[in-house]
Amino acid sequence: MQARQTILLIAMMMTVMAQGQESSPLLVKTQAGWVQGVEQEGTNAFLGIPYSKVERFMPPMAVEPWEDVRICDHWGPQAMQMTYGKELTEDEMSEKNSCVLNVWTTDLKGRKPVMVWLHGGGFDSGTSAWNPGMALAKKDVVVVSVNHRLNILGFLDLSSCSEKYRHSANAGMLDVVAALQWVRDNITQFGGDPGNVTIFGESGGGGKVGTLLCMPSARGLFHKAIIMSGTILNVNTKEMTRQLGEAVLNELGIDKQNVDKIQEVPYKELYAAGQRAMAASIGTRKPGTPMMWGFGPSPDGTTLLQQPFQPGFPDMSNDVPIIIGTTFNELQRLAYGRPMTMEQAREELLPVFGTDTEEYISAFAEAYPAHAPQDLVSIDWLFRPKTLITADHISQGRKANTFVYMFTWRSPVNGGSVHGHELKFCFNTLHHSKNELPQPTAEDQKLADLMSSAWAAFAHSGNPNTQGLPSWEPYNAENGNMMIFDHTCKISHNPDRHLQQLINKHCFKQLDEFRKTH
């Protein structure tokens, strides 16, 4: 059956070439071989294209060419991660074969801007399958999404053990660089412009975008960046990640002279050893902590010059236009499902803000005059303060513009504007979001059209202005220019600066303590 399929595909390919065409809507030649896509909602989709081959803890290598036409009509395997009770097949999750990407395009002969999506999940988990790009591709762009190595396989620092592993601490991000190199070398065949590439991501994906802005090997492979809810500060230092790497070996009973034995350790055993090693060495991060460490990128002065958002990026990225923003509630526990008086809100705020509680309430009222008591305890205390600090910093002295937004649309399910809610709007995929939005309204769809159009406009020119939005001017600390994305989009100017200063003062004490000792 496979042989017959291959013969038919080769015959189809020869027919296409005989007609004087370089490609058909579903058949494209990449540098490694031919791929056949599938039609998805009016776009040509190519799913699960390999862009690299990998060996454990080593930098990505060139993918091996294939002779037959490769059928790319389904998601490729996600990177190894803990699935907690659900066993996945090799086709669904793989260590060797997860460096795959997906492409959505409407015109193989076009020269469209390219938008490369980096999924969330921190640096620990996730998959590009969460956010299909077919609807965004209809906004006159080519969309690419990427799977890459995560957690201990992507970020175990063994550099103190052997020169062979000098890049192991950043292998997962080197995968992303390899994906961008694939875009440079192949995207023209899919109707994309390799000279006009925008990277964008949310949560951990936003952190990956920030990290790429600090990686010399990524320089020139992208030209614009969108950072969505991504400013959790990575505080890894080389000293910390080397200590963690040696602790992992200790947990596994492997000495540094025999470090290669780690290649033989099964993934689940390796992951578990990594968690024990973190607890025994640099400490385990708890969800909601205002910084991250452990199995994530590590600055070494060469592969990664510095950590992003501390407060900005290296000078090498000064010419990259940036959109950066957050949602109103992010990861904060919501109080919208229960009645609350102002006095009850005050009682919940006291343990956090202490003697500044009244000042916080006053600053909140100034920023959001129409607020409810529940808003006081449900607003984001994690992303917005550092996003504001970063936006202030990068908007000064850079060649490129900075644009800031806040997404305040509220879900009819939970009443909040939480972490990740904006994704179905910027991807224009409300029809794929039945659990979060069972019955989208005309206003919801209008917002999705506007937000996805703004993202695509930015990919075209570095300017996110689009018909239907109020004029969105570049940000600086003085004008505080911020686009509010909601059923009624509007521009706000420094609405919450004092409020965010109070949140930064009281909600980042763990970060302050860390900086005192490092």
Side-chain angles (χ1 to χ4, degrees):
M1 185 68 181
Q2 181 64 40
R4 182 182 178 187
Q5 185 183 47
T6 299
I7 292 171
L8 289 172
L9 289 170
I10 291 174
M12 180 179 70
M13 181 176 71
M14 293 178 66
T15 300
V16 169
M17 295 177 68
Q19 293 172 347
Q21 298 173 342
E22 294 183 359
S23 60
S24 77
L26 297 176
L27 193 63
V28 174
K29 187 177 183 181
T30 71
Q31 287 190 343
W34 288 86
V35 294
Q36 183 185 7
V38 63
E39 191 275 336
Q40 280 190 340
E41 299 182 16
T43 67
N44 305 312
F46 301 82
L47 308 178
I49 304 174
Y51 65 86
S52 286
K53 69 174 184 178
V54 295
E55 295 180 3
R56 187 176 279 192
F57 309 127
M58 300 299 292
M61 299 172 288
V63 68
E64 294 181 0
W66 54 87
E67 295 183 1
D68 294 343
V69 175
R70 189 178 187 97
I71 307 301
C72 295
D73 61 354
H74 62 280
W75 298 111
Q78 67 184 31
M80 297 299 292
Q81 54 199 271
M82 296 306 292
T83 54
Y84 301 103
K86 183 180 180 182
E87 294 295 328
L88 300 181
T89 67
E90 175 71 14
D91 289 337
E92 295 172 308
M93 185 171 72
S94 172
E95 178 171 342
K96 291 287 189 180
N97 301 311
S98 63
C99 281
V100 295
L101 53 77
N102 317 292
V103 181
W104 291 268
T105 181
T106 59
D107 181 7
L108 297 181
K109 297 185 180 300
R111 191 76 168 174
K112 300 175 183 290
V114 183
M115 300 188 72
V116 179
W117 171 251
L118 303 177
H119 66 73
F123 293 91
D124 182 73
S125 59
T127 170
S128 59
W130 286 347
N131 301 106
M134 68 283 280
L136 183 57
K138 293 179 182 178
K139 297 290 185 178
D140 199 33
V141 296
V142 174
V143 179
V144 178
S145 62
V146 180
N147 285 357
H148 61 92
R149 284 175 287 180
L150 299 165
N151 54 72
I152 196 167
L153 290 179
F155 303 100
L156 176 61
D157 190 348
L158 298 173
S159 62
S160 68
C161 305
S162 169
E163 176 67 11
K164 173 182 176 180
Y165 296 113
R166 65 187 181 277
H167 297 302
S168 65
N170 293 303
M173 287 305 305
L174 289 172
D175 290 349
V176 180
V177 173
L180 290 172
Q181 291 169 338
W182 185 97
V183 168
R184 177 196 61 197
D185 298 337
N186 293 278
I187 206 64
T188 301
Q189 300 300 107
F190 296 84
D193 180 0
N196 189 6
V197 176
T198 297
I199 55 174
F200 69 130
E202 185 268 346
S203 191
K208 295 165 194 174
V209 171
T211 302
L212 287 169
L213 287 161
C214 304
M215 296 182 68
S217 61
R219 172 73 178 161
L221 297 176
F222 65 91
H223 314 91
K224 307 174 192 71
I226 303 175
I227 300 167
M228 305 163 64
S229 304
T231 49
I232 290 287
L233 301 187
N234 181 351
V235 296
N236 272 343
T237 64
K238 197 64 179 172
E239 180 183 1
M240 290 172 66
T241 56
R242 281 184 166 177
Q243 181 185 351
L244 177 57
E246 292 175 7
V248 170
L249 293 181
N250 184 60
E251 289 291 330
L252 294 169
I254 299 173
D255 59 54
K256 294 169 71 171
Q257 289 69 34
N258 295 299
V259 62
D260 284 344
K261 287 185 176 180
I262 199 170
Q263 299 281 354
E264 305 164 9
V265 178
Y267 173 74
K268 287 186 178 180
E269 182 180 338
L270 180 67
Y271 189 96
Q275 298 307 298
R276 296 194 305 271
M278 207 179 319
S281 58
I282 62 175
T284 301
R285 178 182 181 267
K286 296 180 181 179
T289 302
M291 56 186 187
M292 68 84 60
W293 63 88
F295 298 112
S298 173
D300 58 9
T302 304
T303 302
L304 179 62
L305 299 183
Q306 65 171 72
Q307 297 290 8
F309 317 121
Q310 313 227 11
F313 314 108
D315 289 344
M316 70 172 196
S317 296
N318 280 353
D319 59 348
V320 178
I322 292 173
I323 293 177
I324 189 168
T326 59
T327 71
F328 184 76
N329 300 106
E330 293 288 3
L331 293 172
Q332 192 77 350
R333 181 177 296 178
L334 301 180
Y336 299 125
R338 55 191 169 103
M340 178 178 288
T341 66
M342 187 61 70
E343 186 56 36
Q344 289 171 326
R346 181 178 284 104
E347 290 176 4
E348 293 191 22
L349 293 168
L350 272 169
V352 179
F353 295 96
T355 57
D356 286 336
T357 298
E358 293 304 320
E359 188 175 355
Y360 172 89
I361 293 172
S362 176
F364 201 106
E366 183 180 352
Y368 304 104
H371 71 281
Q374 290 90 338
D375 288 324
L376 290 163
V377 298
S378 300
I379 193 175
D380 166 39
W381 290 348
L382 195 58
F383 291 92
R384 172 71 177 158
K386 297 306 181 186
T387 295
L388 191 62
I389 290 169
T390 295
D392 285 352
H393 181 83
I394 64 177
S395 63
Q396 296 177 354
R398 298 176 76 246
K399 297 177 183 177
N401 288 328
T402 301
F403 298 89
V404 173
Y405 74 90
M406 181 182 288
F407 184 81
T408 62
W409 172 91
R410 302 223 179 187
S411 164
V413 175
N414 59 29
S417 180
V418 304
H419 196 62
H421 265 175
E422 76 280 30
L423 295 183
K424 56 184 170 286
F425 289 87
C426 72
F427 276 95
N428 205 6
T429 51
L430 301 190
H431 57 298
H432 287 278
S433 307
K434 297 302 183 184
N435 290 336
E436 297 176 347
L437 192 55
Q439 295 180 313
T441 66
E443 285 186 305
D444 294 333
Q445 188 56 60
K446 178 183 176 183
L447 176 58
D449 285 334
L450 281 173
M451 194 167 184
S452 57
S453 293
W455 264 221
F458 181 75
H460 273 266
S461 65
N463 185 336
N465 282 283
T466 188
Q467 186 176 1
L469 279 182
S471 179
W472 190 358
E473 298 300 321
Y475 174 95
N476 60 53
E478 289 71 36
N479 67 28
N481 219 349
M482 181 169 71
M483 177 65 72
I484 304 295
F485 281 105
D486 210 324
H487 284 153
T488 300
C489 297
K490 62 182 181 181
I491 293 294
S492 188
H493 299 279
N494 269 328
D496 59 347
R497 182 166 293 276
H498 183 44
L499 175 65
Q500 296 305 327
Q501 289 169 345
L502 289 170
I503 294 172
N504 190 57
K505 173 183 175 181
H506 288 276
C507 298
F508 288 82
K509 291 180 178 178
Q510 185 181 13
L511 176 62
D512 296 337
E513 289 301 315
F514 175 86
R515 285 175 165 167
K516 288 178 182 177
T517 57
H518 290 77

